[in-house]
């Protein structure tokens, strides 16, 4: 099989030890009866779904959360036997497949249950379908909004001949990563009102993403959905401080593919937006916006052999240019994310420059960048 990107010296490196460290820290902090499920959606936030899941499992994760059914199927195909919850809405037509693969799904409406029930019956599926009811307490994305709707769904799940296993109930907070608690408290109030209609709570009651687990005493949960923090990224960006040191797992490196002296007055890249003010050494880096290294990063910097170098001219689809402090050889190490010597560039730095959050930068790193793992 041809692995595209294998023969270019541009790589994402993932330190699985860092992932285990972050999970261990959370494991020692949380209530011992609370389970930690690793959120590995979007190819493990760009880090690689299977490798991250295996590392998380070794560090003590007892289940997994993904966004879409295919991600759950990929985990099962890789031999993961722990519970897997699909957090988004899955089409009811896949109910037989979900049940057969012993996957759990988020459900946010009575219509979904009704449709899944008839599809399961039509296909004579006997395996129970594991359901986690999603409660919309203020995220406004998916889930039951009123106690009345919720109690009908609970009744459906608890009907004796029901094809469903009522396995969990959960909600998701919109502002757990902010210092201001007002909206969080509002969601807690809604949660309490909704949950009150369930006489017998299911096996899993969960409300915590990373930010909730790090910064809030969450109510009655017995499982946390630990996502971005397991990759060593602070869910709040820079607003709140993590109770323990998070170790970022991802770095991004390349090697200079071309080095030249550019005469004063000559320009660089599309639009000729950069002109050399004097004779300058310019290096070319084999990465571009097709790799998820955004075009907006013109003017930002990378490290070449540990020295800070500005990105000059527009970032192209597959290549970009940097201004070097002096002549360096082709093949010199370029660090785009990570540490070289006493300099560090974080995903947060890139996100700040792009006006976004590190989540978006991490999961935007393209499949063309090979992921290389170290233990
Ligand atoms: C993505 C997601 C999480 C994980 O969030 P982090 O901020 O990465 O910890 C948890 N719960 C739900 C419902 C999600 O969609």
């Amino acid at each position: 099989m041809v692995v595209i990107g294998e023969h270019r010296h541009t790589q994402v490196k993932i330190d699985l030890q860092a992932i285990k460290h972050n999970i261990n820290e959370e494991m020692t902090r949380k209530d011992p009866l609370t389970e930690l499920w690793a959120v590995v959606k979007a190819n493990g936030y760009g880090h690689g779904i299977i490798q991250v899941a295996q590392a998380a499992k070794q560090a003590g994760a007892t289940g997994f959360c993904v966004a879409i059914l295919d991600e759950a199927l990929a985990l099962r195909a890789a031999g993961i036997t722990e519970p897997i919850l699909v957090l988004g809405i899955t089409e009811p037509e896949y109910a037989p497949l979900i049940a057969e693969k012993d996957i759990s799904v988020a459900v946010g409406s009575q219509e979904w249950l009704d449709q899944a029930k008839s599809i399961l019956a039509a296909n004579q599926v006997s395996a129970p379908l594991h359901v986690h009811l999603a409660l919309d307490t203020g995220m406004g994305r998916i889930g039951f909004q009123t106690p009345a709707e919720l109690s009908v769904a609970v009744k459906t799940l608890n009907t004796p001949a029901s094809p469903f296993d009522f396995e969990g109930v959960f909600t998701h907070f919109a502002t757990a990563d902010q210092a201001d608690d007002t909206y969080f408290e509002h969601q807690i109030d809604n949660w309490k009102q909704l949950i009150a209609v369930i006489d017998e709570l299911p096996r899993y009651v969960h409300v915590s993403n990373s930010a909730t687990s790090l910064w809030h005493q969450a109510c009655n949960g017995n499982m946390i959905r630990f996502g971005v923090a397991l990759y060593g990224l602070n869910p709040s960006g820079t607003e709140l401080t993590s109770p323990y040191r998070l170790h970022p797992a991802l770095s991004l490196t390349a090697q200079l593919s071309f080095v030249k002296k550019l005469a004063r007055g000559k320009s660089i890249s599309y639009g000729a937006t950069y002109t050399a003010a004097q004779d300058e050494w310019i290096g070319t880096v084999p990465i571009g916006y097709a790799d998820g290294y955004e075009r907006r990063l013109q003017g930002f910097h990378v490290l070449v052999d540990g020295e800070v170098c500005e990105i000059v001219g527009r970032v192209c689809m597959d290549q970009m240019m940097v201004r070097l402090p002096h002549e360096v050889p082709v093949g010199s190490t370029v660090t785009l994310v990570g540490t070289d010597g006493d300099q560090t560039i974080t995903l947060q730095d890139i996100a700040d420059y792009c006006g976004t959050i590190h989540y978006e930068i991490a999961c935007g790193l393209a499949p063309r960048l090979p992921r290389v793992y170290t233990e």
Side-chain angles (χ1 to χ4, degrees):
M1 194 181 78
V2 176
V3 178
I4 292 178
E6 193 179 27
H7 298 94
R8 173 178 67 162
H9 290 158
T10 305
Q11 297 178 327
V12 170
K13 294 192 178 118
I14 305 295
D15 176 2
L16 295 172
Q17 210 48 57
I19 288 174
K20 291 180 193 170
H21 161 89
N22 299 323
I23 292 178
N24 281 328
E25 289 280 3
E26 191 61 20
M27 297 282 292
T28 48
R29 237 182 108 253
K30 68 176 180 50
D31 178 314
L33 295 177
T34 298
E35 290 190 28
L36 183 151
W37 286 20
V39 184
V40 295
K41 60 192 178 187
N43 194 29
Y45 294 43
H47 294 60
I49 180 169
I50 305 301
Q51 292 83 353
V52 170
Q54 281 160 351
K57 183 172 153 172
Q58 285 167 24
T62 48
F64 299 93
C65 298
V66 295
I68 66 175
L69 179 57
D70 297 290
E71 295 168 336
L73 296 173
L75 288 175
R76 283 281 179 263
I80 296 281
T81 53
E82 283 73 14
I84 304 170
L85 170 61
V86 181
L87 297 166
I89 300 294
T90 311
E91 288 298 317
E93 67 181 283
Y94 302 119
L97 179 60
I98 298 165
E100 181 208 327
K101 296 289 182 183
D102 202 22
I103 289 165
S104 309
V105 288
V107 171
S109 69
Q110 182 63 34
E111 297 75 60
W112 197 98
L113 291 175
D114 294 340
Q115 287 175 32
K117 194 172 171 176
S118 41
I119 292 163
L120 288 168
N123 288 272
Q124 296 171 351
V125 176
S126 57
L129 192 142
H130 310 295
V131 168
H132 289 229
L133 292 181
L135 309 191
D136 184 2
T137 58
M139 179 68 185
R141 192 164 65 179
I142 58 169
F144 296 89
Q145 297 186 64
T146 67
E149 290 175 302
L150 178 60
S151 48
V152 175
V154 170
K155 255 192 212 100
T156 306
L157 295 178
N158 288 338
T159 306
S162 147
F164 304 112
D165 161 35
F166 183 20
E167 185 183 68
V169 59
F170 75 103
T171 194
H172 191 50
F173 292 109
T175 63
D177 58 345
Q178 297 173 13
D180 185 342
D181 275 355
T182 320
Y183 196 79
F184 185 89
E185 293 300 334
H186 163 73
Q187 283 197 253
I188 291 275
D189 289 344
N190 289 342
W191 166 257
K192 286 181 179 157
Q193 269 185 31
L194 285 167
I195 206 85
V197 309
I198 308 178
D199 289 333
E200 205 178 321
L201 287 170
R203 168 77 186 80
Y204 296 106
V205 178
H206 47 111
V207 302
S208 297
N209 56 359
S210 302
T212 307
S213 189
L214 292 175
W215 297 303
H216 299 271
Q217 292 298 325
C219 40
N220 306 326
N222 56 21
M223 181 264 269
I224 61 178
R225 307 183 302 265
F226 201 56
V228 80
L230 84 83
Y231 304 94
L233 303 171
N234 181 326
S236 83
T238 51
E239 187 166 339
L240 300 170
T241 308
S242 170
Y244 48 88
R245 219 169 76 82
L246 293 166
H247 291 187
L250 184 147
S251 54
L252 172 60
T253 57
Q255 291 182 5
L256 287 182
S257 59
F258 198 85
V259 175
K260 63 177 174 288
K261 191 182 233 176
L262 193 74
R264 179 166 67 93
K266 288 202 172 184
S267 293
I268 290 183
S269 196
Y270 293 115
T273 59
Y274 177 86
T275 302
Q278 60 233 342
D279 290 359
E280 291 174 352
W281 283 99
I282 299 293
T284 301
V285 188
I287 191 170
Y289 60 77
D291 298 293
Y293 199 82
E294 301 212 3
R295 189 167 176 274
R296 288 176 282 178
L297 286 162
Q298 175 174 2
F300 189 64
H301 56 273
V302 302
L303 308 176
V304 176
D305 286 338
E307 291 190 273
V308 176
C309 299
E310 183 184 335
I311 299 167
V312 291
R314 288 195 181 138
V315 174
C316 309
M317 188 184 289
D318 321 292
Q319 307 180 72
M320 66 180 193
M321 279 60 78
V322 298
R323 189 180 57 240
L324 304 167
H326 45 77
E327 183 179 12
V328 302
V330 164
S332 296
T333 300
V334 182
T335 302
L336 301 104
V337 177
T339 298
D340 187 359
D342 55 6
Q343 298 287 339
T344 297
I345 300 171
T346 63
L347 284 169
Q348 181 68 40
D349 294 334
I350 295 181
D352 287 345
Y353 194 85
C354 291
T356 182
I357 54 174
H358 49 55
Y359 292 75
E360 192 183 13
I361 305 297
C363 60
L365 294 171
R368 192 168 80 175
L369 294 166
R371 270 63 170 176
V372 178
Y373 296 89
T374 55
E375 275 293 333

